[in-house]
Amino acid sequence: AGLLAVWAAGAADAPAATLAALSLVTGAAIPPVSSVLRSRWPYLLADRPELVAGAFALDSVLIEIIFLVGPLLTTVVVATVGPQYALIVSAACVLTGTLMLLSGLSGRPGPEPSGEGSRALGLGALADPGLRTLVFASLPVGFALGSVEVALPAFSDAEGSKEIAGVLLAAWSLGSGAAGLAWGTRAAHFSLLGAHLRFAWLLPLAIAPLALASSPLTMGVLVVLAGLPVAPLIASRNQLVERVTPVGTATEAFTWPLTALVAGVSLGAAAAGAIVEASSWTTAVLVATAVATIGAATVVTRRHTLVQPQAA
C-alpha cells in the first residue's frame, strides 16, 4: 500500500517532502521476512541439525542474488515501461513473498513466546552481551560493503568505462555466493566461532588489494577475491546470533544485526561518495579496509561473549 501511495503521490506531482514522508513510512512497513525466517531455521530443521549451517549459508547467498538481480530488474522495468511500474513490481514481490512465507510456516514449530528473562534491563534481546557484540561488529561490516559498492563504479568511471561497473559488482557477488555455498557444505567440520573470527579478519584483508587495481581486468580478479569472505561471514554471524539469543527473543535478536548491517551500508555508501568526490576511489577502499578491521577487532576482543551461549 505504501509503495502504491508513493506512485500515486508522484503521479499527482506531490512535493518532494510528501514523497519523502511516504517513503519513510513505507520503508518502516517492510515485513521482517529475513528475521522471521532466520529465527526459525533451527526449528524447521530440528530433525536435521547438521543442515542448519547450510540453511544460514543459503540464506546469505540468496540475499546476494537479490541485491544483484533486484537493481538489474528495476533498471529494465524503468527503462522499458517507466519507474512507476518498478514500484508495482516491488509491491507485488513484497506481497507474494510474505504470503509464501506465512503459508510455508503455517503449522510449523517456532521460537518460544517471550518470557520475563528476555526483558532484562529493558533492552530485550540486546540484554545479551553476545548479541551486542554481533550488532557492534555488523555496523562496520556494512560500512565496508557500502563503501565498496560506491568505489567500484568510481573506479569504472576513472577508467573511462562506466559500463563495467555492473560487471564488477556482479563479480563481487559471484565470489561471495560461491564461497557461501562452499561454507554451507563444510561448516559442520569447523568450529563456528573460530571460523567466524577468520572470516572477520579475511574481509579487510580481501578488500585492501582492490586499491592496487590498475586495470578493469585486474580489478575483476581482485573483486572476486574480495567477495569470498562476505557470505560466509554473514552466514556464520547469523548462526552465532541463533546461539546467543535469549529465550523468547529470536526474531528480535535477528533483526538487530540486520539493522546494523543495513545502517552500515547506508553510512558507508554516503561516506564513500563524499570521499570519492574529495579524493579518489582508492581512498574510499582504504577507508573501507580500516573500518572493516575495526569490525574484526570488535569480534576478537569480545569473543568471550560468544563462547557461552545465553539461550537455554
Side-chain angles (χ1 to χ4, degrees):
L3 288 166
L4 296 180
V6 171
W7 172 26
D13 293 325
T18 301
L19 290 173
L22 286 172
S23 298
L24 182 65
V25 173
T26 301
I30 295 176
V33 169
S34 295
S35 299
V36 170
L37 180 58
R38 290 168 186 169
S39 71
R40 280 156 175 76
W41 280 129
Y43 300 91
L44 295 174
L45 298 171
D47 57 338
R48 299 289 302 279
E50 71 277 7
L51 297 181
V52 172
F56 280 113
L58 181 60
D59 181 285
S60 296
V61 172
L62 289 175
I63 293 297
E64 288 286 345
I65 294 174
I66 289 167
F67 278 109
L68 176 62
V69 175
L72 294 176
L73 176 61
T74 301
T75 300
V76 171
V77 174
V78 170
T80 54
V81 292
Q84 67 271 31
Y85 294 97
L87 291 175
I88 295 176
V89 170
S90 181
C93 287
V94 170
L95 187 60
T96 302
T98 304
L99 291 174
M100 291 175 64
L101 178 78
L102 294 174
S103 176
L105 294 179
S106 179
R108 306 294 292 274
E112 294 288 333
S114 180
E116 290 298 325
S118 68
R119 300 294 101 190
L121 304 179
L123 296 176
L126 287 177
D128 184 272
L131 183 62
R132 292 199 298 272
T133 296
L134 298 175
V135 172
F136 295 152
S138 293
L139 186 65
V141 169
F143 186 99
L145 300 183
S147 297
V148 173
E149 288 181 356
V150 172
L152 291 178
F155 165 81
S156 303
D157 184 52
E159 291 291 313
S161 304
K162 293 183 179 181
E163 65 277 2
I164 68 170
V167 176
L168 293 177
L169 290 170
W172 189 34
S173 293
L174 178 64
S176 174
L181 291 175
W183 163 248
T185 62
R186 304 295 299 170
H189 302 282
F190 298 91
S191 162
L192 176 59
L193 180 57
H196 182 71
L197 294 177
R198 294 185 183 91
F199 294 142
W201 281 118
L202 280 174
L203 183 63
L205 292 176
I207 291 176
L210 296 179
L212 303 176
S214 57
S215 69
L217 180 59
T218 56
M219 180 60 90
V221 174
L222 292 173
V223 81
V224 171
L225 298 177
L228 294 179
V230 177
L233 173 62
I234 295 175
S236 57
R237 182 159 296 176
N238 286 334
Q239 196 173 356
L240 281 172
V241 171
E242 184 267 325
R243 289 195 176 186
V244 303
T245 297
V247 176
T249 65
T251 303
E252 177 191 349
F254 277 100
T255 300
W256 280 115
L258 177 61
T259 300
L261 184 72
V262 173
V265 170
S266 299
L267 292 173
I275 292 171
V276 168
E277 291 294 327
S279 180
S280 66
W281 66 267
T282 56
T283 304
V285 169
L286 295 177
V287 171
T289 302
V291 175
T293 301
I294 294 174
T298 299
V299 176
V300 171
T301 56
R302 291 177 55 86
R303 63 185 180 276
H304 62 280
T305 64
L306 304 172
V307 174
Q308 294 295 333
Q310 301 299 307

